[in-house]
Amino acid sequence: MLVMKKSAVIWFNGELIPWDEAQVHVAAHVLHYGSSVFEGIRAYDTDEGTAVFCLDGHVDRLFNSAKVYRMAIPYTKAEVSAAILETVRANDLASCYIRPLVYRGFETLSIDPTPCPVEVAIVTIEWGRYLGPEAIEQGVDVGVSSWRRMTPGAFPAAAKVGGQYINSQLIAMEAHQHGYVEGVALDANGYVSEGSGENLFVVSRGEIVTPPLASSILEGITRRCAVTLAREEGLAVHEQFIPREALYMADEVFFTGTAAEITPVRSIDGIQVGEGGRGPITERLQKIFFGITGGQMEDRHKWLTYVG
Ligand SMILES: Cc1ncc(COP(=O)(O)O)c(C=O)c1O
């Protein structure tokens, strides 16, 4: 299990304070009812200095998640973006994972959180390969979870909300108990949805498919980037409902996510995917993705925001 090292400071309601002083009261609404929205963002160590990947996309999604849950963030998007860059600079990390968190503090413990203050914190932390150091080259072994993703009428999957990650926790814990690196959840109708913290792509006969938003996925920002890169490579990419057996029959399967980046899946439920390692299309997309995030390839989509 990943044990993480504290950073020096946290941006907390408008100011940078020492890590240990960024405290929340036990009566805060968020602790009781999961009332938070958040983002996971990476800052990469590029040849030209530290750069945040897809900053605008993440900040937009944060504000959209807050909108769904009627949370008025007491800062503008520009202020949150500037605070993210300030926190990365202050912690002096060449690369890191960034966690902006917007949550309901205490004013009431009744379920309707409307009177509770909306508070904002930005945490940065060192974080290497999410699914293990060899995962990027060798791929990971995963299992289909006995837990389903939520039905669209119960939880808005496109909003990145703290409470929803209780479902992801069930999927991840079960997978680890069974000896898998990650679990893949099906949607309420039995079609493939996503990993506990990653979107999923299937490659068959040279074409790429990925589940639609209707399969209760988070609309991943890395997913969007992977689709863009694949289409630029002349590959066909479709969103379609994916039956479970398509995972076993695929030539390649890969995950995308801020934490997972682009990670090949080499087996599912003990069944080998394709040749059982990283497939050629996955590798091709990784090369471009890591080329751009490492600063060695032209950032043609302006995905990088330099912190310096
Ligand atoms: C449930 C879930 N799906 C997909 C993703 C991938 O999204 P992104 O690429 O924006 O990090 C994440 C990560 O945040 C996630 O938690």
Side-chain angles (χ1 to χ4, degrees), residues 38-40 58 61 97 149 160 165 168 194-199 217-223 256-259:
F38 66 99
E39 274 305 313
H58 283 286
R61 190 172 62 185
Y97 185 82
R149 294 293 283 168
K160 197 167 167 64
Y165 278 76
S168 288
E194 61 180 346
S196 72
E198 308 84 11
N199 293 115
I217 63 162
L218 181 73
E219 195 207 347
I221 287 162
T222 323
R223 172 183 182 269
T256 63
T258 296

Side-chain angles (χ1 to χ4, degrees), residues 182-238:
E182 180 57 297
V184 172
L186 306 180
D187 68 16
N189 296 314
Y191 294 109
V192 174
S193 177
E194 61 180 346
S196 72
E198 308 84 11
N199 293 115
L200 184 139
F201 289 78
V202 172
V203 183
S204 294
R205 291 177 291 281
E207 297 207 344
I208 304 176
V209 292
T210 193
L213 301 194
S215 280
S216 294
I217 63 162
L218 181 73
E219 195 207 347
I221 287 162
T222 323
R223 172 183 182 269
R224 221 184 282 161
C225 295
V227 169
T228 301
L229 296 179
R231 289 190 175 143
E232 283 176 351
E233 285 293 289
L235 297 162
V237 187
H238 310 289

Side-chain angles (χ1 to χ4, degrees), residues 221-275:
I221 287 162
T222 323
R223 172 183 182 269
R224 221 184 282 161
C225 295
V227 169
T228 301
L229 296 179
R231 289 190 175 143
E232 283 176 351
E233 285 293 289
L235 297 162
V237 187
H238 310 289
E239 285 191 0
Q240 67 189 42
F241 291 112
I242 299 177
R244 176 175 179 163
E245 63 275 21
L247 297 175
Y248 310 131
M249 296 175 180
D251 298 320
E252 301 178 41
V253 174
F254 63 89
F255 281 138
T256 63
T258 296
E261 302 172 296
I262 298 179
T263 299
V265 173
R266 67 180 177 195
S267 80
I268 299 165
D269 297 330
I271 300 176
Q272 181 176 300
V273 176
E275 300 295 313

Side-chain angles (χ1 to χ4, degrees), residues 6-305:
K6 296 176 188 178
S7 296
V9 291
I10 287 177
W11 193 93
F12 200 60
N13 293 324
E15 55 179 338
L16 289 170
I17 60 171
W19 176 286
D20 288 330
E21 288 174 22
Q23 306 279 348
V24 175
H25 197 275
V26 291
H29 200 273
V30 60
L31 277 186
H32 302 258
Y33 303 118
S35 12
S36 67
V37 297
F38 66 99
E39 274 305 313
I41 312 175
R42 264 190 199 267
Y44 284 93
D45 183 11
T46 80
D47 293 349
E48 287 164 49
T50 303
V52 177
F53 186 65
C54 291
L55 178 61
D56 291 349
H58 283 286
V59 171
D60 282 349
R61 190 172 62 185
L62 182 72
F63 276 73
N64 278 334
S65 301
K67 194 173 181 186
V68 173
Y69 281 87
R70 301 169 194 270
M71 297 168 98
I73 300 180
Y75 303 97
T76 62
K77 286 185 186 178
E79 286 168 336
V80 170
S81 298
I84 288 169
L85 298 175
E86 187 189 356
T87 314
V88 176
R89 267 195 304 269
N91 281 315
D92 201 22
L93 299 168
S95 65
C96 63
Y97 185 82
I98 306 161
R99 169 56 52 79
L101 174 73
V102 177
Y103 65 91
R104 303 270 195 184
F106 174 71
E107 189 62 44
T108 178
L109 284 186
S110 76
I111 290 174
D112 181 344
T114 307
C116 295
V118 175
E119 312 209 9
V120 183
I122 300 164
V123 180
T124 62
I125 200 139
E126 285 180 74
W127 202 342
R129 297 282 181 238
Y130 181 61
L131 298 175
E134 301 82 31
I136 297 290
E137 283 178 27
Q138 294 172 16
V140 290
D141 302 309
V142 308
V144 173
S145 182
S146 68
W147 296 102
R148 296 281 177 100
R149 294 293 283 168
M150 52 280 189
T151 56
F155 287 101
K160 197 167 167 64
V161 178
Q164 230 146 264
Y165 278 76
I166 274 293
N167 173 255
S168 288
Q169 288 178 36
L170 291 171
I171 295 162
M173 286 189 294
E174 182 191 61
H176 298 159
Q177 283 288 321
H178 292 173
Y180 297 123
V181 168
E182 180 57 297
V184 172
L186 306 180
D187 68 16
N189 296 314
Y191 294 109
V192 174
S193 177
E194 61 180 346
S196 72
E198 308 84 11
N199 293 115
L200 184 139
F201 289 78
V202 172
V203 183
S204 294
R205 291 177 291 281
E207 297 207 344
I208 304 176
V209 292
T210 193
L213 301 194
S215 280
S216 294
I217 63 162
L218 181 73
E219 195 207 347
I221 287 162
T222 323
R223 172 183 182 269
R224 221 184 282 161
C225 295
V227 169
T228 301
L229 296 179
R231 289 190 175 143
E232 283 176 351
E233 285 293 289
L235 297 162
V237 187
H238 310 289
E239 285 191 0
Q240 67 189 42
F241 291 112
I242 299 177
R244 176 175 179 163
E245 63 275 21
L247 297 175
Y248 310 131
M249 296 175 180
D251 298 320
E252 301 178 41
V253 174
F254 63 89
F255 281 138
T256 63
T258 296
E261 302 172 296
I262 298 179
T263 299
V265 173
R266 67 180 177 195
S267 80
I268 299 165
D269 297 330
I271 300 176
Q272 181 176 300
V273 176
E275 300 295 313
R278 172 170 63 181
I281 288 180
T282 309
E283 188 173 357
R284 209 159 123 199
L285 296 178
Q286 279 182 328
K287 272 213 174 98
I288 309 168
F289 179 82
F290 290 119
I292 293 173
T293 55
Q296 296 93 20
M297 286 177 74
E298 190 202 340
D299 178 22
R300 51 188 188 258
H301 299 289
K302 303 277 173 275
W303 285 337
L304 300 177
T305 304

